[in-house]
Structures are given as structure tokens and as C-alpha cells.
């Protein structure tokens, strides 16, 4: 017992420094994205010397070498024959990623001053007589009100959600394509700029898509074959379709609000043949963790900081919400991603 205790103490002495400087990875990666380091290296054949890279970026070679040393240590680039080379991780920072799997926009959102400010007010959220929700305390309104009044931030959100949408829809189509079988029309509730629905319609061209979101969101959404953009309020009415699709929408809201949204979705689909497809994270219990468990728990902290009542849910909590909305049954499909696919039937 004493040996184990000493070992744990030694590990703690090292581990605590990861939290002291925990902001460093995000800050340095944000710098790399803003400088477009990965894009520039890719445009030069995927390999560049320090001299060539610093010249192309108009950066101090000395400072850039230190940034690159840190990024290499974190796996973003490799140094071979005195030249910086791309890695699979560095390519995810490219703003113009040929495989459309870049995470640059998502990192840009979460590292923006607007989204960082609420984290400094997280403690007050936990106090019984605490102040308003962190985002509201920092900006005077919730994230949706702020986005509506600030088009630049609204675009950051839409671009970030598009990052996730491309990856998530690809995972659904690859691992559970049958979820879209037999659906002639699909309404994407809270579909943002239509990236999710566009990917679904491309993979399933028989589907007629309805991208449904707030007017200021769909008003700037790009046109896409097979998709009709509709503005509105999901708490009031959802456009009718064979099935409704919600991805990373319900985690922004309280249980009661989720029930209200799902009831509107249930009203929009056929009672006998319709279904609501929910693509959300499911928090697992200790001992059931997978490679994305840390991400899901981090997302729950994001919900705590950035929303008023949002949260990531366990399967028991999802069951309560789905049944509370009046659905008779549901199924759950694990697809090896951050999200699972829950199908709720009237």
C-alpha cells in the first residue's frame, strides 16, 4: 500500500503541471490555424524547411521554430531531414482540407474570446445562489441571442457545426446506413447551414431534404440540390416529413425543453411509419468507457459553460426524455463515434 501511495504521489507531481499549463495546447494550435501553417506546408508539397516556412508566413524564424517544436511534440508535424512534414493530425488543421474533415473551424470557435469568456464564470454556475449562466453572465444573453445579433459569431458556430456534421454523418452512413432506408423526406431540425442534410442527401439521393433552423441561420445557408431551407422555431412547429433528424441539438436544452422539441417532431411525422432520428452523445458509466469517453465528458462541461440548461445525457436520461415526449419505443445504435443513433417511434 505504501509503494502504491508513493507511486500515485509521484504521478500527481507530474500530472498537475498538465493543468497548470492546460491552456497551452489550444493556444498554440489556434496560432497554427491562424497562420495557416498546415495549409502552407501542404501547398509546398507537404514538406518545408524552417527558412522557407518562416519566409512564406512572414514570421520570425526563431519564434516559429519554437512553435513548431511544440507542435511536433504534440504530433502535429514531423521533422525529417531538417524539414517540416505533414501528419494526419496536422492535416486536420487545414482550412482548405481536400477530404473535408478539417477541424479548424471548430477549434476557431471554441478558442474564440466569446466562447472562452464564460469559462471564467463557471464557478458561479455551481453556487446555489450563483449568478446567471456563464455565457449569459459574460455576454448579456444566451448563445443563440448573441449569435443572432452578431453575424460573425453566428458564422463561427455554423462553420464549427459543419465540421462535426461532416464527420458524424460519414460515421452514420458508414456504420448504420439502414437508418435512412424507406425515408422519402427528411427534416433536419436545427440543421444549421445544411451541411448535415447535404451529406445525407448525397449519400441517399432518394431523400428530399428540409433544412429547418432559425431564420437568421437559414437566410445565409448555401443552396444545395435536393434541399429546401425553411426558417422557424422548433418549439412552435416543425415542417412535416417522413422522418425528423436532430444532431447535436437536444444537448443544448433542458429535459423539459427536449420533451417539447421532440413532441413537435412527433407531430410532424406520420404516426404509423414515421420516426425521429436523434444523433447525440451518450455518456457511459464507469467501466464502460471507450475512446471517446473523455470527449463526451468534456462536451458536458462545454454545455455547463455555454448553455443555460444543456447537458450530455446517459442512456437512462435519454430514455426519460424520449418517453416523456410520448414515443412508444426506441432503439439505440452505437456507431464507434462520439454520437450514437437513437431512433424514436410514435
Amino acid at each position: 500500500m505504501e509503494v502504491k501511495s508513493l507511486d500515485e504521489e509521484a504521478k500527481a507531481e507530474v500530472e498537475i503541471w498538465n493543468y497548470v499549463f492546460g491552456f497551452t495546447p489550444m493556444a498554440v494550435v489556434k496560432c497554427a490555424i491562424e497562420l495557416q501553417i498546415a495549409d502552407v506546408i501542404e501547398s509546398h508539397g507537404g514538406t518545408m524547411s524552417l527558412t522557407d516556412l518562416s519566409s512564406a508566413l512572414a514570421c520570425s524564424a526563431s519564434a516559429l521554430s519554437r512553435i513548431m517544436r511544440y507542435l511536433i511534440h504534440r504530433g502535429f508535424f514531423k521533422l525529417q531531414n531538417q524539414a517540416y512534414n505533414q501528419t494526419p493530425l496536422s492535416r486536420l488543421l487545414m482550412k482548405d482540407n481536400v477530404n473535408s474533415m478539417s477541424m479548424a473551424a471548430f477549434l476557431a470557435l471554441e478558442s474564440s474570446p466569446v466562447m472562452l469568456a464564460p469559462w471564467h464564470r463557471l464557478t458561479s454556475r455551481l453556487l446555489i445562489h450563483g449568478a446567471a449562466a456563464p455565457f449569459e453572465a459574460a455576454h448579456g444573453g444566451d448563445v443563440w441571442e448573441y449569435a443572432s445579433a452578431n453575424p460573425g459569431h453566428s458564422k463561427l458556430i455554423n462553420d464549427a457545426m459543419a465540421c462535426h456534421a461532416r464527420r458524424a454523418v460519414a460515421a452514420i452512413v458508414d456504420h448504420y446506413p439502414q437508418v435512412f432506408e424507406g425515408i422519402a423526406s427528411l427534416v433536419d431540425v436545427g440543421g444549421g447551414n445544411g451541411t448535415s442534410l447535404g451529406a445525407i442527401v448525397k449519400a441517399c439521393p432518394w431523400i428530399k431534404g428540409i433544412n429547418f433552423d432559425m431564420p437568421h441561420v437559414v437566410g445565409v445557408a448555401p443552396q444545395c440540390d435536393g434541399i429546401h431551407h425553411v426558417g422557424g422555431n422548433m418549439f412552435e412547429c416543425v415542417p412535416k416529413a417522413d422522418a425528423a433528424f436532430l444532431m447535436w441539438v437536444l444537448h443544448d436544452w433542458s429535459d423539459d425543453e427536449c420533451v417539447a422539441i421532440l413532441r413537435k417532431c412527433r407531430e410532424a411525422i406520420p404516426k404509423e411509419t414515421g420516426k425521429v432520428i436523434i444523433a447525440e452523445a451518450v455518456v457511459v458509466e464507469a467501466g464502460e468507457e471507450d475512446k471517446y469517453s473523455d470527449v463526451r465528458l468534456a462536451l458536458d462541461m462545454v454545455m455547463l459553460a455555454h448553455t443555460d440548461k444543456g447537458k450530455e445525457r446517459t442512456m437512462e436520461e435519454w430514455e426519460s426524455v424520449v418517453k416523456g415526449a410520448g414515443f412508444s419505443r426506441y432503439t439505440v445504435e452505437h456507431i464507434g463515434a462520439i454520437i450514437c443513433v437513437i431512433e424514436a417511434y410514435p
Side-chain angles (χ1 to χ4, degrees), residues 272-287:
E272 300 300 325
T273 59
K275 66 179 176 179
V276 175
I277 304 166
I278 303 167
E280 291 273 6
V282 176
V283 177
V284 299
E285 303 298 336

Side-chain angles (χ1 to χ4, degrees), residues 46 83 88-89 103 169 184-185 200 258 279 283 286 293 296 298 310 326 328 335 339:
L89 192 55
M103 289 291 282
V169 171
S185 59
I200 292 171
C258 285
V283 177
S293 291
R296 297 186 191 105
S328 62
I335 59 172
I339 59 168

Side-chain angles (χ1 to χ4, degrees), residues 5 10 30 47 77 121 167-168 219 230 235 239 245 322 335 337:
S5 177
K30 178 182 182 180
T47 182
F77 299 95
R121 300 171 183 264
R167 307 174 77 85
V230 176
F235 288 99
F245 180 77
V322 169
I335 59 172

Side-chain angles (χ1 to χ4, degrees), residues 118-307:
W119 289 104
H120 294 284
R121 300 171 183 264
L122 187 60
T123 303
S124 64
R125 172 69 184 270
L126 276 65
L127 301 176
I128 295 175
H129 300 295
F135 192 96
E136 185 176 348
H139 301 296
D142 66 28
V143 65
W144 314 120
E145 293 169 337
Y146 187 90
S148 179
N150 295 272
H153 189 70
S154 180
K155 186 177 187 306
L156 273 180
I157 292 176
N158 291 333
D159 289 348
M161 293 304 99
C163 273
H164 172 257
R166 284 187 286 268
R167 307 174 77 85
V169 171
I172 295 172
V173 170
D174 288 345
H175 297 281
Y176 190 42
Q178 55 268 43
V179 69
F180 299 118
E181 290 179 358
I183 296 174
S185 59
L186 180 70
V187 56
D188 187 356
V189 181
N193 65 7
T195 298
S196 297
L197 196 54
I200 292 171
V201 170
K202 183 177 180 180
C204 310
W206 62 86
I207 292 178
K208 175 186 176 183
I210 303 169
N211 184 49
F212 181 63
D213 211 311
M214 293 178 288
H216 76 272
V217 174
V218 298
V220 295
Q223 295 302 311
C224 181
D225 290 342
I227 295 177
H228 176 53
H229 296 294
V230 176
N233 186 332
M234 62 186 174
F235 288 99
E236 297 175 357
C237 182
V238 171
K240 294 188 179 300
D242 291 343
F245 180 77
L246 301 100
M247 182 163 67
W248 266 16
V249 171
L250 298 178
H251 70 172
D252 291 325
W253 305 95
S254 70
D255 290 348
D256 289 342
E257 288 166 327
C258 285
V259 168
I261 294 168
L262 287 173
R263 283 176 176 167
K264 292 300 178 183
C265 290
R266 184 164 59 87
E267 292 172 3
I269 60 175
K271 184 175 181 180
E272 300 300 325
T273 59
K275 66 179 176 179
V276 175
I277 304 166
I278 303 167
E280 291 273 6
V282 176
V283 177
V284 299
E285 303 298 336
E288 301 176 0
E289 296 92 344
D290 63 19
K291 62 184 179 180
Y292 289 114
S293 291
D294 284 350
V295 180
R296 297 186 191 105
L297 292 175
L299 277 170
D300 190 41
M301 296 300 97
V302 172
M303 294 301 105
L304 200 61
H306 290 164
T307 71

Side-chain angles (χ1 to χ4, degrees), residues 99-114:
N99 64 10
S100 300
M101 289 300 174
S102 171
M103 289 291 282
F106 213 142
L107 282 156
L109 172 68
E110 295 300 337
S111 63
S112 68
V114 171

